[in-house]
Structure formats: C-alpha cells, structure tokens
Amino acid sequence: MSVAEEQAPQLRVQKWIGIDGEIIAPLKLADVGTGPKILFAFQHWCRGCHLHGFPTLQRLHSALSIRGVGFAVIQTVFEGAHENTFEKLRVNQLEYDLPIPFGHDEPPAGATLPTFMHDYGTRGTPWFSVIDAGGRIIFSDFHLDADQFVKGLELE
C-alpha cells in the first residue's frame, strides 16, 4: 500500500522527549509546525539508521529548519525492544545534535506494529515521511537524497 499523496494520519505516538530531553506531552502533527514536515523513523540498533538515516536527517534539518520545515523523530519498536528503549531517545538526540522532539513508539496492546508504522505504511528503518503544508504525504520511503530534496525545494 502506498501512502503517497494521502492525507497524513494524526500521530498516535504516546511517549516523547522535547529538544531538551525532558518528557513532553504526545505530539500532534500541528505541534511539528504549520508548514512542511519531515518525520524520521529509526531503531537504535539499526546500522543503516546510524550510517545513512541520521546523517541525512542532520543535513535536512540544517538546511530546512530555518525555512520553516518542522521535524520529529520516532523510534519505531517493531523488534529488539530490549535495545530500542525510551532511554535511547536522548542518547541519539545528543549524539546527532538534533534539537528535535523524539518519540518512542511501541505496538499498542494486541497489535504487532507500532502506531506510526501501521498508520503510515512504513516497512522498516530508516524511514522518511515528508508531509506538505497542506497535510498530504508527498514522500514515504527508506532513502531520501537530502541534497536533491533541498535543491527541489529551492525551485518552488
């Protein structure tokens, strides 16, 4: 199922930390900003997340946060719950120097997938979901070329 061009579902992730590492209330999409949004899903033990995902997110955040693009990071715990813990949110937030809210999304009772994976149709990590200012999903996939994406936004 492709979610591209669909209206972005509301976030149902219940556990979050803010940019200072303190626990915050669950985020809604509106809390991520009124313009375009980039949601990044990861797992702490995911090698690709650390080799490619987080560096891509750093480039995107550096280039686009000053232009009104909102960001949120979600640890989708669909395996390895012993390693992908709530405490690892702050570890990654600090390691990559990302002043972005980080969420921890475990499957709800009786479910097999975390809410973000279920609602956004993601298939693993690292995963980027891009939402336009109108609330539609315009990109949803494993790899996002940060340089091409930023260049494409400059044409608009």
Side-chain angles (χ1 to χ4, degrees):
M1 171 183 95
S2 173
V3 296
E5 297 301 321
E6 289 183 13
Q7 196 67 25
Q10 190 53 259
L11 296 175
R12 295 190 293 143
V13 179
Q14 293 300 302
K15 296 179 180 178
W16 290 88
I17 61 171
I19 61 174
D20 59 0
E22 297 296 318
I23 295 172
I24 61 173
L27 286 186
K28 299 296 181 200
L29 283 176
D31 299 325
V32 181
T34 57
K37 299 159 192 45
I38 296 176
L39 307 177
F40 174 65
F42 82 104
Q43 289 190 96
H44 180 72
W45 73 349
C46 167
R47 183 170 164 79
C49 294
H50 295 286
L51 289 176
H52 306 289
F54 275 113
T56 298
L57 182 62
Q58 286 176 308
R59 288 193 300 280
L60 291 166
H61 185 262
S62 176
L64 299 175
S65 63
I66 58 174
R67 294 174 53 191
V69 175
F71 290 84
V73 176
I74 302 166
Q75 181 175 234
T76 53
V77 186
F78 59 93
E79 58 189 1
H82 64 284
E83 183 67 24
N84 297 299
T85 63
F86 181 77
E87 292 73 27
K88 297 292 175 44
L89 297 182
R90 184 66 171 162
V91 169
N92 288 287
Q93 192 181 49
L94 291 172
E95 180 176 344
Y96 294 101
D97 192 27
L98 289 165
I100 300 170
F102 274 59
H104 180 77
D105 193 19
E106 294 184 62
T112 56
L113 292 176
T115 63
F116 184 75
M117 289 184 78
H118 178 267
D119 296 347
Y120 280 74
T122 71
R123 299 183 308 275
T125 57
W127 192 273
F128 291 90
S129 294
V130 181
I131 303 167
D132 69 13
R136 296 187 85 54
I137 299 169
I138 59 171
F139 181 89
S140 187
D141 209 336
F142 286 105
H143 302 286
L144 178 61
D145 183 321
D147 297 330
Q148 289 294 340
F149 187 78
V150 170
K151 188 183 293 185
L153 286 181
E154 290 171 359
L155 300 175
E156 294 178 0

